[in-house]
Amino acid sequence: MPDSFTLPIDEPQPSQLYLSQAKLDGVLSWCDPDDPQYDPLPVIELDGEWTLIDGHTRAFVASLAGHPELRVVHDRDDHPRDLYRRCVDWCREAGITRIDDLHGQLVSAETYQTEWIDRCQAAAKAD
């Protein structure tokens, strides 16, 4: 399989519970909804499925614009798979199994930091 490819937008499992308003504002400031140009978003294969490990805001904007596919790249770096598994478990528990499920998960930059970044950092330290 080539490193860079496309996936149906509803296929990759998100690994993030929230979207930051500040990040969304930033992406909306440069993204052309008719022709979104973004670097391929990194995915890893986790337990037999593609998992989005970064670029959730860009994927969300592509979804808002009605694009049926995402440009992705198979990230082959050595990522903390146990931590990503835990993040995916949190997402599934919250009913987030595709990008569209992030609707309603937009929070302020401060809330994003305390509710998501700090939570992930604590989980990484516990591993």
Side-chain angles (χ1 to χ4, degrees):
M1 173 180 294
D3 280 348
S4 183
F5 55 101
T6 60
L7 286 175
I9 200 159
D10 61 352
E11 184 172 329
Q13 166 66 51
S15 63
Q16 183 173 307
L17 279 174
Y18 302 102
L19 295 173
S20 163
Q21 176 70 48
K23 288 184 178 186
L24 181 60
D25 289 346
V27 172
L28 289 172
S29 74
W30 60 259
C31 183
D32 177 356
D34 294 328
D35 185 23
Q37 296 298 314
Y38 55 86
D39 291 336
L41 307 177
V43 294
I44 59 172
E45 197 167 357
L46 192 63
D47 301 327
E49 73 177 341
W50 292 114
T51 300
L52 188 64
I53 62 169
D54 192 25
H56 290 76
T57 305
R58 289 171 284 163
F60 183 75
V61 168
S63 172
L64 285 177
H67 293 279
E69 295 181 323
L70 290 175
R71 285 191 303 274
V72 298
V73 62
H74 186 183
D75 191 327
R76 298 177 190 277
D77 289 344
D78 186 25
H79 293 283
R81 295 197 181 262
D82 288 340
L83 179 60
Y84 278 108
R85 251 184 219 96
R86 184 175 300 172
C87 293
V88 166
D89 287 345
W90 293 335
C91 288
R92 288 186 177 141
E93 289 168 10
I96 298 170
T97 60
R98 52 195 192 104
I99 296 302
D100 283 351
D101 294 333
L102 290 168
H103 287 261
Q105 297 299 109
L106 184 63
V107 297
S108 70
E110 295 80 18
T111 299
Y112 182 79
Q113 178 66 46
T114 59
E115 297 296 319
W116 185 245
I117 301 297
D118 292 352
R119 182 179 185 180
C120 292
Q121 289 175 343
K125 287 179 186 173
D127 284 345

